[in-house]
Amino acid sequence: MNSPVLLIWTFLSILVSALGTYSFIQPIWIVTPNQTGSFGLISTCVTVLDVVSPDFGKQRCEFYGGYFNLGSLPSGAWQASCTLFGGGCILLCCGAFLAVCTSCIPNDAVKSVTVMAGYVQFIAVLVMIAGLFIYPLGFNSKFIRKHCGGGSSMYNSDQCEVGWGLVLAVVGTALAMFCPVLSHYTDMQTTDLL
């Protein structure tokens, strides 16, 4: 029988990998002053303001440069952040896969798989935190100054606001910090908790 800690760890592993990956692809990490545009790690959205356009008032979202290319991101800091945070999301997905696999493997191998998955998740959390700390360094790029104001600098987006995509990334990473800890207690039974 699976322990309750194992089930909680598996559920949390799936949840944080989904949150991290979902926030990674969202273009709403930074929002412009009048909410006419937003910027994410890999894509951007702008509101069409051309009155004669049939798309007037609609949001148009695309990758930076029209297609995904790491070199087309607005700054080197965002390139590093994209690589680190995206790599962390991949590692969290691997940890979630291992967590789900624990329900299919023999009981004598569960502990070694959970410990290995915990180490993978620990590395993922460290890499994602590094990506989140590096992201605001890109606020001093010409691209952000053009859209957010000339006062933009590192860790200061001037007139732009933090979007829900960045908040979701921070919350997902914060929740992911519990996964490596829980992975070491997955063999606890209900009687051990009382």
Side-chain angles (χ1 to χ4, degrees):
M1 178 170 176
N2 291 334
S3 77
V5 177
L6 179 66
L7 295 175
I8 292 169
W9 172 69
T10 301
F11 174 74
L12 186 63
S13 297
I14 294 168
L15 177 71
V16 297
S17 66
L19 283 176
T21 305
Y22 183 71
S23 68
F24 176 72
I25 61 173
Q26 291 306 307
I28 308 176
W29 283 41
I30 299 294
V31 181
T32 57
N34 297 325
Q35 310 223 344
T36 56
S38 59
F39 314 107
L41 270 180
I42 61 173
S43 59
T44 181
C45 288
V46 292
T47 303
V48 177
L49 298 175
D50 185 9
V51 181
V52 295
S53 172
D55 294 332
F56 176 73
K58 294 182 182 176
Q59 288 258 326
R60 187 184 69 211
C61 299
E62 62 184 20
F63 291 117
Y64 294 105
Y67 59 93
F68 182 71
N69 179 5
L70 200 58
S72 63
L73 297 179
S75 73
W78 283 14
Q79 293 170 359
S81 181
C82 179
T83 303
L84 290 170
F85 194 82
C89 289
I90 291 170
L91 289 174
L92 277 183
C93 289
C94 291
F97 175 74
L98 290 172
V100 171
C101 286
T102 58
S103 63
C104 307
I105 60 175
N107 285 342
D108 56 341
V110 168
K111 184 63 179 172
S112 60
V113 171
T114 58
V115 169
M116 181 178 64
Y119 287 127
V120 168
Q121 290 171 330
F122 177 73
I123 292 167
V125 168
L126 291 179
V127 168
M128 290 172 78
I129 288 171
L132 288 173
F133 275 122
I134 290 173
Y135 179 74
L137 296 176
F139 291 168
N140 67 346
S141 69
K142 292 177 186 176
F143 179 82
I144 292 296
R145 286 188 178 149
K146 174 184 171 188
H147 293 284
C148 296
S152 295
S153 61
M154 290 187 244
Y155 290 94
N156 177 14
S157 62
D158 196 20
Q159 298 172 11
C160 288
E161 301 171 357
V162 172
W164 62 265
L166 180 57
V167 173
L168 188 64
V170 171
V171 169
T173 304
L175 283 174
M177 290 181 201
F178 292 103
C179 288
V181 175
L182 286 174
S183 73
H184 288 284
Y185 298 101
T186 55
D187 56 347
M188 291 182 73
Q189 296 299 323
T190 309
T191 56
D192 297 335
L193 300 173
L194 299 175

